[in-house]
Amino acid sequence: MTSPAERYAAASQRAVHPALVDFAGLYPFPLDPFQREACEALEEGYGVLVCAPTGAGKTVVGEFAVHLALRVGRKCFYTTPIKALSNQKFNDLVARYGAGNVGLLTGDNAINGSAPIVVMTTEVLRNMLYAGSSTVDGLGFVVMDEVHYLADRYRGAVWEEVIIHLPASVTLVSLSATVSNAEEFAEWLVTVRGDTKVIVTEHRPVPLWQHMLVGKRMFDLFKDGEHAVDPDLVRYVREQDRYAAPASRRDNGGRPRTWRPPPRVDVIERLDRDGLLPAITFIFSRAGCQDAVAQCVRSGLRLNTLEERHEIRRIVEARTADLAAEDLRVLGYWEWLEALERGVAAHHAGMVPTFKETVEELFGRGLVKAVFATETLALGINMPARSVVLEKLAKWNGEQHADMTPGEYTQLTGRAGRRGIDIEGHAVVVWAPGMDPRHVAGLATTRTYPLRSSFRPSYNMAVNLVGRLGRAESRVLLESSFAQFQADASVVGLVRQIQRNTEALVGYAEAAGCHLGDFMEYAGLRAVLKGREVALAREGAVLRRAAAAGSLERLKVGDVIRVPSGRRAGLAVVLDPGVHPMTDPRPLVLTEDRWAGRLSVADFPSPVEPLARVRVAKNFNHRVPAERRDLAATLRNALAGLADDGSGRRGRSRAADDAEIARLRAEIRRHPCHGCADREEHARWAERYLRLERDTGGLRRRVENATHSISRTFDRVCALLEERGYLAGDEVTPAGSRLARIWSESDLLVAECLRAGVWDGLSAPELAAAVSALVYESRRDAEGVPRLPVGAVRDALGQTTRLWAELEGQEREHRLTLTREPDLGFAWPAYRWAWGEPLDRVLAASEPGGAELSAGDFVRWCKQLVDLLDQVGKAAADSPLRETARAAVDAVRRGVVAYTGVA
């Protein structure tokens, strides 16, 4: 029975926040203080920014916005960064409010778009705002889940565009992971959205314990729960480091001695014994995830009961019922199902959406106990575990292996601990030689993850803004972006640094003083000479590369050449010249030691000339060892008398003949400071002066560029668009109106292809192949030239590349870098798929230098291709291209590509 005081408090709460009282009753647990504070602010009419750790329950605040909207008869849009999260949220809200009240708009799906609650990706809302869609009428609340995505290099601008363009009457609910500059972000939100309350919590509802697994021993990272690293762990690791010798060391018997990590099966079994399953093990490699699952299956690991196995099979069969049996075979369905029935699964972007979504459902139901995942799982998908295991603390960032940041560590380990299920979560780092527990502790306790804007004007944004507001008002609007807000704030520190540098320059100039004359003048002459020499050397290298490329283009099958240096140095015979109209030649050769492979211009610092010819059979197959051996023998026999003269002759350097260099050297010798006994000592101070002067000049330019930087970029974008006929002052031309409807990273190049008729007359499969070049982006640099369809589509791709080169040159003039080079690596798979070939043949058809595709990647690129083809069709107006684009959409959107998985 409640006390009078409790009854009074409840009545007071209902009087002030009646919607919150009703809403809180929908949950089986009391709301946390931060959730209650944020919901109270919303009911009082404030916008909110909620920053909380993964798993803390910040989406409850978003759900309260939905509740409020329905209560007052307004609409609520719930936006997410990824389609998978949109699908998940859609199903959650349908379960609570009924299918009639909830819609979904993701590009792939359009379900009940006029409902009072609509879940959508952020891009869909941005497009609505630019198009002036009537769907926005009556909108009262927008929830921006995972708003910290505005730091994303490629897509972050979308979040800022939405925040800036939303009508003032809309209340914004921003949900973010914990960031260290939340107050700065909130301050900006106040300037563009009005009253906004910031609610920050570091509290995790489920405490997280940190561990290190060293060999077979599990240690707590911290002593007695404090932030002091366990000294026993430090001692044990030091001891293990001594014994875990690198491969170059040998034991007492002279045998190599290497450290090996504990088998993954052993780690899972250890977690199972300790009651720490279900667990997610993060492995920063798709192949590593698949290998881990295969290891568990081979070992005989079983984590499920017979009843659980039957339940898994029932769910899997229901989930995959719409997929063709032949496609399931290609996707490795039976191997995948066997692992699932054992309680083990992988989760990564290389899997088709159906498989990933099934793993998520089974894991959520507790039927899969061990998941091996890449870090993409940590981005938004609601898939918590009791434990998270990290095998490494470094990962490939697209360019190099880089150490994990504290923010990444927290994002990954934040998955541990299921609210309402676990009383605590566990993060386990698997130790490897050289891994310092104190470094792990630093990752676990550091709380500095600043949110940095990635906003920049695009071509599509520019024509949409000018069309709605005109240039002057657009500039004012862009000045209100978070990017400009941060740029202005950064100027203060730069100005202080310039002041310090200016003081230091005075001291450097005094130290460089010479009694014979003006040493800074002398140092300037030396610097100009050095710059001229470097420029000529670089220019010479470019010319040599061009000459080398030209000589490679003239090679014929059977030509014998000399590879001058590197691992393949020596004689080689040309098997295929590898000439391509759009890239440098990459000849396929066979060397004396029977290696066959492609060389590039980089292997030839100077032009190459054939030394002789040998006969190469038309049906020669360089993949057959016996054929390689016979041809290599022929090569050696034919050229037994041909030897390298070893002269290493080089042409005269360009610097030796340069009149300007000769003049500078003479002027330096005549300068009075040239004869100073302390010349080189003065020169060292002068070099420091000149270096600091350059740095200071750079800082001054940064200050200049930071002020009004976004609007200046916008001006450059508009200038280029005006030159190309998309804008005429404050007017958007018909070509600009077409560009306004194209939402693509290559928006202007798409518009140029449409205007130039590049795709006119293509068949549907040819159009799919041609358009794919503006969507696809290789995961890594592909070697060689990708295979391309023949005929009209090849011409279209050539025209596209030429248009890009023209645009890229114009962008350089305007100091812009907005349009990336077309990537031809998906053209062949897209063409074959659109022709109707089965999945297995399309995936198996990757050529040297082409796209080596997993099924998941293939589906993802096809869906992006469908999206752009749909835009091309709409932008093509009433031309025949419109119908071709529609046919291409239908041809690509079939089989595994068509299946969405939304309930």
Side-chain angles (χ1 to χ4, degrees), residues 554-560 573-578 588 612-618 620 631:
R554 293 189 291 273
L555 292 177
K556 301 285 189 294
V557 175
D559 279 348
V560 176
V573 59
V574 176
L575 307 177
D576 168 24
L588 177 66
R613 296 288 303 275
V614 297
R615 184 180 174 280
V616 178
K618 281 190 175 180
F620 178 80
L631 184 57

Side-chain angles (χ1 to χ4, degrees), residues 425-437:
H426 298 267
V428 180
V429 176
V430 179
W431 176 82
M435 186 186 289
D436 189 338

Side-chain angles (χ1 to χ4, degrees), residues 375-404:
E375 70 272 24
T376 51
L377 184 148
L379 301 177
I381 298 297
N382 182 25
M383 195 169 152
R386 181 166 295 163
S387 303
V388 162
V389 179
L390 299 180
E391 288 196 339
K392 292 180 180 175
L393 296 179
K395 66 187 187 73
W396 181 256
N397 63 10
E399 297 175 1
Q400 60 183 355
H401 281 94
D403 289 339
M404 191 181 293

Side-chain angles (χ1 to χ4, degrees), residues 839-861:
L839 182 65
D840 59 338
R841 291 178 62 183
V842 174
L843 294 181
S846 62
E847 296 287 321
E852 293 187 8
L853 291 168
S854 69
D857 285 331
F858 175 75
V859 170
R860 187 172 78 257
W861 290 120

Side-chain angles (χ1 to χ4, degrees), residues 304-318 333 336-344 358 362 366-369:
N304 283 338
T305 64
L306 184 61
E307 291 76 13
E308 287 172 327
R309 295 182 68 180
H310 289 320
E311 178 67 3
I312 286 169
R313 185 172 284 258
R314 184 189 66 75
I315 292 170
V316 168
E317 287 175 351
Y333 170 82
W336 174 67
L337 176 59
E338 181 184 3
L340 291 176
E341 289 181 338
R342 292 170 178 270
V344 180
T358 304
L362 294 175
L367 295 170
V368 165
K369 312 296 198 304

Side-chain angles (χ1 to χ4, degrees), residues 528-607:
V528 172
L529 173 63
K530 183 178 179 182
R532 178 72 178 167
E533 289 172 338
V534 168
L536 283 177
R538 190 181 297 120
E539 197 176 308
V542 170
L543 291 173
R544 285 195 301 276
R545 176 187 171 90
S551 69
L552 290 178
E553 288 175 355
R554 293 189 291 273
L555 292 177
K556 301 285 189 294
V557 175
D559 279 348
V560 176
I561 60 175
R562 185 177 300 283
V563 184
S565 60
R567 291 170 56 203
R568 308 304 174 193
L571 297 176
V573 59
V574 176
L575 307 177
D576 168 24
V579 177
H580 190 273
M582 287 181 267
T583 59
D584 283 337
R586 291 180 57 85
L588 177 66
V589 304
L590 176 74
T591 63
E592 295 171 277
D593 59 3
R594 293 184 270 179
W595 175 83
R598 291 199 179 272
L599 301 175
S600 71
V601 176
D603 295 305
F604 298 93
S606 58

Side-chain angles (χ1 to χ4, degrees), residues 456-460 717 720-721 724 739 744-753 773-774 777 800-801 803-812 816-823:
R456 63 176 181 173
S458 67
Y459 298 116
N460 170 279
V717 168
L720 188 149
L721 288 172
R724 297 198 77 88
L739 173 58
S744 163
E745 197 182 335
S746 301
D747 47 12
L748 184 56
L749 185 52
V750 173
E752 285 290 303
C753 288
L774 304 183
E777 196 167 359
T800 302
T801 303
L803 277 173
W804 167 79
E806 183 184 321
L807 271 180
E808 198 260 348
Q810 199 169 359
E811 284 186 342
R812 236 183 1 256
L816 295 169
T817 53
L818 295 178
T819 308
R820 68 171 178 83
E821 185 176 359
D823 191 322

Side-chain angles (χ1 to χ4, degrees), residues 219-259:
F219 290 85
D220 289 338
L221 180 60
F222 299 112
K223 181 75 172 175
D224 300 326
E226 299 171 0
H227 282 179
V229 179
D230 184 350
D232 293 338
L233 169 62
V234 174
R235 275 194 299 273
Y236 190 73
V237 163
R238 196 178 296 130
E239 198 175 291
Q240 292 303 303
D241 256 329
R242 207 175 302 128
Y243 289 109
S248 57
R249 301 257 187 95
R250 296 182 176 272
D251 61 19
N252 294 335
R255 293 179 296 273
R257 184 172 61 179
T258 60
W259 174 87

